[in-house]
Amino acid sequence: MAHIKLLIWACCLALSTSFAYGLGVNWGTQAAQTLPPSTIVQMLKDNKIDKVKLFDSDHWTVKYFAGTGIEVMLGIPNNQLAKFADDYDFAKEWVKNNVSTHLYNGGVDIKFVAVGNEPFLKSYNGSFLKSTFPALQNVQKALNSAGLGDKIKATIPQNADVYESGNSGPSQGDFRSDIRDLMQKNCSFFKDNNTPFLVNIYPFLSLHENKHFPIEFAFFDGQTKAVRDNGISYTNMFHANLDTLVVSLKKASCSGVKIIVGEIGWPTDGDLYGNVTLAKRFYSGFFKKMATKKGTPLYPGFIEYYLFSLTDESEKSILPGSFERHWGHF
Ligand SMILES: *[C@@H]1O[C@H](CO)[C@@H](O)[C@H](O)[C@H]1NC(C)=O
Ligand SMILES: *[C@@H]1O[C@H](CO)[C@@H](O)[C@H](O)[C@H]1NC(C)=O
Ligand SMILES: *[C@@H]1O[C@H](CO)[C@@H](O)[C@H](O)[C@H]1NC(C)=O
Ligand SMILES: *[C@@H]1O[C@H](CO)[C@@H](O)[C@H](O)[C@H]1NC(C)=O
């Protein structure tokens, strides 16, 4: 952990002298002991992290970001999606009580509302397929009606397995077959509202889930033989994964939508591949990549990233593995 802390500090200190980098971090609070928000705010400032992604919109946390210059992404949990989908008046009330209330002069710089969290994960058995897009539409409509639509965008944090390319490369990418129709029919929302597509990408999980995954491909230090796809060389899984999304969006007639990486990280314990050495290797390559401000072969522009995560969370479900409690930088 100490290594990583130092790494972030060194990275951001070096960058902060010339420009604000725009590094974000997720702050989840499923922990027995959580740091007071005022301490969190100070930690973010000390480390030149200027965006925070939350998983709820708890007043107690949100209000501490007032006047800090830190951009905030509020969250709406999956179990509330149906309510937001069915009841526009509820969405309006929610915006009034949980968004507008923070927007006084010197208030909180709210930029996004994350509607649900990875609602199309296969393990949810389709429970949120019906409610997610209608909820998204109602939240954006309520933001628009409060006069906030240009400044605050509602979007959906998606897990990277909403798209796939089978055994082929990124050029064969498409949305997962069970949600392809849904994505194709609803993709125009992103274009029409100038909404970014938020995606969580974890090379660690590829390694964790597949014993045959070529480990070198999870990192950014090019110690792997490049894989060629449609004339493009890939030396890391992140590029290949994000480009699969680019192709999938194109197939859904949704090219040109901005992509933001809502979660990226590596755990420091709790798995064969979850340790400080590998986490350090991952972040070290990732930060160097980030500093180039270059995206991927098919998405060459600047990408915003939110690291996962700020602190370890001692009460997260360990159903996927005990690594779930060890994502914290601090
Ligand atoms: C958010 O809005 C809802 C609906 O208006 C309200 O019931 C709830 O108390 C608000 N949440 C917080 C944390 O204030
Ligand atoms: C999804 O289905 C599986 C198998 O039927 C079941 O074990 C699991 O509890 C279900 N999960 C949810 C979130 O409904
Ligand atoms: C979203 O997809 C669903 C299912 O295909 C469809 O019924 C609905 O009309 C779509 N919504 C929009 C806004 O296109
Ligand atoms: C970290 O994990 C890798 C892969 O399992 C292993 O080779 C290495 O020895 C581990 N390092 C430490 C310090 O545990």
Side-chain angles (χ1 to χ4, degrees), residues 30-46:
Q30 296 179 56
Q33 292 164 308
T34 58
L35 291 168
S38 54
T39 306
I40 297 282
V41 167
Q42 195 56 47
M43 273 163 65
L44 297 183
K45 291 179 118 180
D46 289 349

Side-chain angles (χ1 to χ4, degrees), residues 100-146:
S100 303
T101 183
H102 296 293
L103 302 179
Y104 51 92
N105 196 1
V108 185
D109 186 12
I110 299 172
K111 275 278 159 64
F112 295 108
V113 177
V115 178
N117 186 38
E118 303 190 331
F120 300 155
L121 264 183
K122 268 195 194 138
S123 55
Y124 293 139
N125 300 340
S127 308
F128 305 113
L129 290 185
K130 277 215 181 79
S131 53
T132 303
F133 275 107
L136 177 71
Q137 282 172 318
N138 275 346
V139 173
Q140 189 64 57
K141 201 169 132 194
L143 288 166
N144 295 350
S145 108

Side-chain angles (χ1 to χ4, degrees), residues 129 133-134 137 180-189:
L129 290 185
F133 275 107
Q137 282 172 318
R180 194 170 296 156
D181 184 57
L182 185 72
M183 291 307 299
Q184 284 176 351
K185 289 207 172 101
N186 289 269
C187 212
S188 57
F189 177 92

